[in-house]
């Protein structure tokens, strides 16, 4: 194996595949990156037990392949080294277990592993697939990952539930106390649903951050593959049955308010200073004087805060008092770009429904907590 | 107590005195900030067992005192709250143990402590003092704090040694393996030396960051006071005898090199990738071919790096090979603004001396380690 490669190009690629590599992998070869020089490209692979990232760099004025071949070297050290090297690199296999990297007057030798011992990549079945743009994918990540459960006792809730149906993709995340739902239109004949680990989805979102591209998505048994021009991400899917959530979103509501998203977020942020001392970050909202809400919280030891906010529109029942987890409300409001939001209530013991005004493709639910 | 104050003004002041406040103080009143409204100013005090920060805001269009009085309230909650309030605040003592803060339609009540129970500030003796500019102070912090010992077994080495003598101030920090020395000229009749805790010095540096002002420094027994227009910082001094360091800096050297500071720093940074696997971050430097140095390091498990660097000038003995802690060299080079640096050697077992070219007021020493 021997090639000459541009510093910036290689550094970016190595740092991308390194995202899948853990320094703590029990199998030492998985702490490494597989480097494979092919006739017309350099392939890099990083993986852990849950996901694999494969990056391809085609030959160009930035990459010249002199001899094909392969090796696996420590992701951490390769990543650190390449970032700090000043110039184009001349990379040569010394033997199957070490590689020499030369940049200007700097000569480095890195020990490695035999690439033949690196796990083989899963095969991709190109039949069952659909397409997303990187923008759509980032939007799904933004609207779902935060709402998944951090608790491993119900593994399915640590993932995001994808449903393909009637030319649409519905993604749902919930931790039982809050839920976020987002719907995208797309062309697909598939009728399928699966649960993607939130960590993998989040990583895929980060990988495509800064790219603007079409992504092919394939599903095969327990694996999902995201594939674009020069980047392929494989992730395992979570086994199990996701709870039915479609019936949770009420069709009607007793009281509907329209408020300014940012004003409400600021009020919740302030109320949370005291709420953080209570068990559920209790923040209380009350309708007042038919056209205002009072957002408040209190802690017996520290103090209390009470804020009166104008509401743009109130319809339905004018009696309303509900207590919820301020952190969940902060998260929910934080992902909304729309200036105004519709808050729908069905009494003190039913979830609050949040719908960005003019964008019904995203719906969020927050359950009340005991006052 | 009652006053009306500008949000930005108060938020900045509260955040400054909060620097001295620990949420973990064993005495609960020390988790608070003392707020005292006087006839013509608002005084804020935050403290811990080692240091006190006092900030004074004079009445102006940004502060109107309506009634004098005082209270102590939680630093953490006051700090968080004020940052998040949108506008001028109307602050009123409710009783000795709580305060009401009103900003627009937001009403907050904070529980507190009786200000009468807050520790009394040390008295300042204005006779024994000298003056520093905030720029000089920041320069002292930059050149000393990093080189102090993090190990409490020799408490004096966790501080910075100040010596006032012959119209100059000499500051020295060392952890026994490296030393940094900086000298300032100033007008003083004082002949005195003392040891200032590095944490306090570092905090004082941060407080004066962004200010450009004259600072009066007073020393009284075991306390040092930094005093400017509206900010006073008190710190305890460290008891004990600081080791004599003046004889450590050699007058002559066997070999002297002049190198580009940034090139050497980059080389050390690269070598440190492998050095971090060895016990002392071993980086080796060898003189080679009379006009070059080789910077190298290696780890039997990971690999090795070797870099050839041009030297601008070599004088004295041409035989040189020395191994040192790469992290110490990184720290030392990192604070040097001069383009070139003079490296002085007295053999493999004597400390390396670093002098920024054209700036002998700062000298650093790094002891060699076993290769």
């Amino acid at each position: 194996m021997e090639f000459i490669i541009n510093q910036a190009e290689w550094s970016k690629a190595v740092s991308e595949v390194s995202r899948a590599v853990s320094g703590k992998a029990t199998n030492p070869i998985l702490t490494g990156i597989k480097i494979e020089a092919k006739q017309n490209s350099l392939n890099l692979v990083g993986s852990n037990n849950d996901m694999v990232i494969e990056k391809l760099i085609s030959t160009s004025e930035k990459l010249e392949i002199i001899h094909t071949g392969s090796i696996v070297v420590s992701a951490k050290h390769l990543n650190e080294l390449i970032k700090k090297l000043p110039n184009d690199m001349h990379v040569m296999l010394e033997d199957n277990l070490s590689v020499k990297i030369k940049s200007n007057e700097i000569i480095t030798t890195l020990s490695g592993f035999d690439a033949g011992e690196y796990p083989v990549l899963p095969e991709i079945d190109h039949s069952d697939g659909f397409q997303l743009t990187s923008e759509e994918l980032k939007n799904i990540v933004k609207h779902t990952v935060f709402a998944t459960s951090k608790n491993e006792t119900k593994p399915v809730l640590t993932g995001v539930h994808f449903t393909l149906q009637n030319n649409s993709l519905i993604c749902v995340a919930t931790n039982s106390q809050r839920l976020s739902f987002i719907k995208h239109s797309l062309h697909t004949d598939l009728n399928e649903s699966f649960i993607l680990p939130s960590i993998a989805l989040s990583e895929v979102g980060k990988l495509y951050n800064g790219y603007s591209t079409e992504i092919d998505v394939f599903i095969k048994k327990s694996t999902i593959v995201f594939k674009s021009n020069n980047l392929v991400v494989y992730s395992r899917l979570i086994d199990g049955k996701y709870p039915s959530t479609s019936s949770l979103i009420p069709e009607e509501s007793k009281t509907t308010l329209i408020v300014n998203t940012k004003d409400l977020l600021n009020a919740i942020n302030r109320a949370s200073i005291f709420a953080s001392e209570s068990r559920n970050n209790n923040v209380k909202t009350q309708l007042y004087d038919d056209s205002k809400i009072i957002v408040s919280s209190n802690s017996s030891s520290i103090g209390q805060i009470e804020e009166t906010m104008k509401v743009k529109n109130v319809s339905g029942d004018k009696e309303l008092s509900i207590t919820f987890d301020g952190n969940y409300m902060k998260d929910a409001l934080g992902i909304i770009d729309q200036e105004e939001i519709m808050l729908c209530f069905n009494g003190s013991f039913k979830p609050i429904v949040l719908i960005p005004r003019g964008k019904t493709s995203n719906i969020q639910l927050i359950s009340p907590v005991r006052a």
Side-chain angles (χ1 to χ4, degrees), chain A:
Chain A
M1 181 186 80
E2 185 174 353
F3 57 90
I4 295 169
I5 191 164
N6 170 270
Q7 192 269 343
E9 194 81 1
W10 203 23
S11 177
K12 182 161 184 283
V14 168
S15 127
E16 284 175 356
V17 298
S18 292
R19 291 196 153 276
V21 182
S22 158
K24 292 174 201 149
T26 41
N27 182 355
I29 205 168
L30 290 186
T31 64
I33 286 176
K34 182 177 159 194
I35 305 168
E36 186 172 7
K38 296 190 172 181
Q39 208 66 46
N40 300 309
S41 69
L42 186 71
N43 287 30
L44 303 173
V45 181
S47 59
N48 58 46
N49 292 327
D50 294 333
M51 79 189 280
V52 180
I53 301 175
E54 185 184 17
K55 174 91 183 186
L56 184 146
I57 307 171
S58 301
T59 50
S60 69
E61 74 273 22
K62 293 183 174 175
L63 170 69
E64 181 194 345
I65 304 280
I66 300 164
H67 293 296
T68 60
S70 60
I71 190 171
V72 175
V73 293
S74 154
K76 174 172 171 258
H77 296 99
L78 183 66
N79 206 354
E80 256 190 85
L81 175 70
I82 298 178
K83 265 189 218 142
K84 291 175 176 169
L85 287 175
N87 220 321
D88 280 8
M89 279 163 248
H90 189 166
V91 182
M92 279 160 291
L93 200 63
E94 292 261 279
D95 53 55
N96 279 338
L97 298 175
S98 82
V99 65
K100 181 180 273 190
I101 301 174
K102 202 171 167 300
S103 170
N104 289 357
E105 297 296 293
I106 307 154
I107 300 166
T108 317
T109 313
L110 276 177
S111 309
F113 302 89
D114 182 349
E117 289 169 22
Y118 197 81
V120 177
L121 291 184
E123 259 179 57
I124 304 177
D125 178 349
H126 288 82
S127 58
D128 276 359
F130 60 97
Q131 273 205 328
L132 283 176
T133 66
S134 48
E135 281 313 311
E136 286 167 335
L137 183 67
K138 280 179 257 178
N139 204 34
I140 291 172
V141 173
K142 177 179 166 189
H143 283 84
T144 55
V145 169
F146 77 95
T148 56
S149 173
K150 306 298 167 266
N151 187 329
E152 292 285 342
T153 51
K154 283 189 187 167
V156 294
L157 297 190
T158 65
V160 175
H161 190 232
F162 282 64
T163 306
L164 290 155
Q165 210 174 34
N166 308 329
N167 280 319
S168 74
L169 169 64
I170 293 171
C171 301
V172 175
T174 180
N175 69 350
S176 304
Q177 279 96 49
R178 57 141 165 226
L179 178 148
S180 185
F181 163 107
I182 185 162
K183 185 173 177 171
H184 271 292
S185 300
L186 48 78
H187 292 288
T188 178
D189 298 329
L190 296 176
N191 270 296
E192 206 159 340
S193 72
F194 52 88
I195 309 165
L196 183 55
S198 64
I199 294 173
L201 182 57
S202 164
E203 281 302 332
V204 174
K206 285 177 197 156
L207 277 167
Y208 281 106
N209 205 7
Y211 287 95
S212 182
T213 181
E214 290 281 328
I215 303 165
D216 290 309
V217 187
F218 304 104
I219 308 130
K220 189 191 170 188
K221 283 184 205 155
S222 56
T223 305
I224 187 166
V225 184
F226 296 87
K227 185 171 188 298
S228 66
N229 241 347
N230 54 10
L231 193 63
V232 190
V233 186
Y234 305 76
S235 166
R236 71 167 179 92
L237 295 172
I238 297 176
D239 235 13
K241 196 173 151 43
Y242 202 79
S244 163
T245 53
S246 54
S247 63
L248 294 176
I249 301 167
E251 306 240 319
E252 293 187 340
S253 55
K254 275 194 201 160
T255 310
T256 305
L257 309 180
I258 291 171
V259 292
N260 179 286
T261 312
K262 204 163 170 218
D263 287 350
L264 182 59
L265 179 57
N266 286 339
I268 303 290
N269 266 327
R270 283 187 282 263
S272 295
I273 298 171
F274 299 100
S276 62
E277 308 288 323
S278 67
R279 212 170 67 124
N280 292 309
N281 298 292
N282 289 12
V283 172
K284 189 176 176 183
T285 296
Q286 283 167 280
L287 200 56
Y288 161 76
D289 205 12
D290 285 7
S291 64
K292 291 173 181 169
I293 51 173
I294 297 176
V295 176
S296 65
S297 77
N298 75 80
S299 141
S300 53
S301 59
I302 302 154
Q304 61 191 63
I305 189 163
E306 195 179 288
E307 174 161 358
T308 311
M309 253 187 79
K310 273 189 201 140
V311 175
K312 188 152 181 193
N313 191 287
V314 182
S315 60
D317 198 345
K318 301 286 192 292
E319 286 291 316
L320 173 69
S321 171
I322 192 163
T323 301
F324 49 81
D325 185 320
N327 286 340
Y328 289 162
M329 187 59 88
K330 272 199 276 185
D331 290 347
L333 295 169
I335 59 160
I336 293 171
D337 297 324
Q338 278 67 25
E339 198 184 328
E340 290 177 339
I341 186 166
M342 199 159 78
L343 296 171
C344 311
F345 300 89
N346 277 302
S348 302
F349 304 108
K350 298 278 185 180
I352 309 171
V353 181
L354 289 87
I355 304 171
R357 205 172 177 195
K359 191 188 164 201
T360 50
S361 59
N362 169 229
I363 298 174
Q364 297 188 65
L365 262 65
I366 297 173
S367 294
V369 294
R370 210 172 291 182

